[in-house]
Amino acid sequence: MNVLVIDGMGGGIGKAIIERLKTELKDAHIIAVGTNSIATSAMLKAGADVGATGENAIVYNAPRVDYIVGVLGIALANSMHGEVSPKMADAVAQSPAHKVLLPTEKCNVTVVGLGEVSMQAQINEVVRRLRERV
């Protein structure tokens, strides 16, 4: 199972996701791609198998993995204060990979109908869903 975890800004959400995935899905090969080097570094420290930074890393890796995990904003051009370029968002959206996206208002998006759920509960759900597919 090849999992692409994409995060930006400080990489905190990606870091938390990778820590849980490494604990729960030991055979998963995790590729961490940050929209900036700080995010990539945080995810590598969390245990990602490989890491890369920037637009081309997302464009290159998105069609080559089984799953893409991150916040909803990775599929929305100019989200995360402009860190997600239109090419990045398009690469995520066009990828044949199954996307597991966490809604967060930090991306300036509100998803209705989901209820108030903590980030930790959302990460638990990401891991549960990926484990189901193994």
Side-chain angles (χ1 to χ4, degrees), residues 103 110-117:
T110 302
V111 179
V112 297
L114 299 177
E116 295 289 325
V117 180

Side-chain angles (χ1 to χ4, degrees), residues 4-124:
L4 175 60
V5 179
I6 302 171
D7 199 5
M9 306 190 75
I13 294 172
K15 177 181 183 252
I17 290 169
I18 289 168
E19 287 172 346
R20 283 296 307 281
L21 289 176
K22 291 306 266 184
T23 300
E24 303 282 335
L25 300 171
K26 296 184 189 306
D27 294 333
H29 178 73
I30 300 175
I31 302 165
V33 176
T35 60
N36 62 66
S37 60
I38 294 170
T40 303
S41 178
M43 292 188 287
L44 283 168
K45 286 178 185 172
D49 296 295
V50 295
T53 301
E55 181 178 271
N56 193 63
I58 293 172
V59 170
Y60 177 81
N61 284 291
R64 292 172 168 79
V65 296
D66 303 306
Y67 299 93
I68 297 175
V69 178
V71 297
L72 181 61
I74 66 173
L76 300 171
N78 302 311
S79 67
M80 291 196 258
H81 301 283
E83 285 192 0
V84 178
S85 73
K87 283 186 182 179
M88 291 171 166
D90 188 54
V92 170
Q94 296 293 328
S95 172
H98 185 86
K99 291 99 178 152
V100 182
L101 305 176
L102 292 82
T104 174
E105 291 191 24
K106 289 182 180 180
C107 295
N108 203 24
V109 174
T110 302
V111 179
V112 297
L114 299 177
E116 295 289 325
V117 180
S118 72
M119 185 56 64
Q120 189 58 51
Q122 291 179 52
I123 291 169
N124 291 343

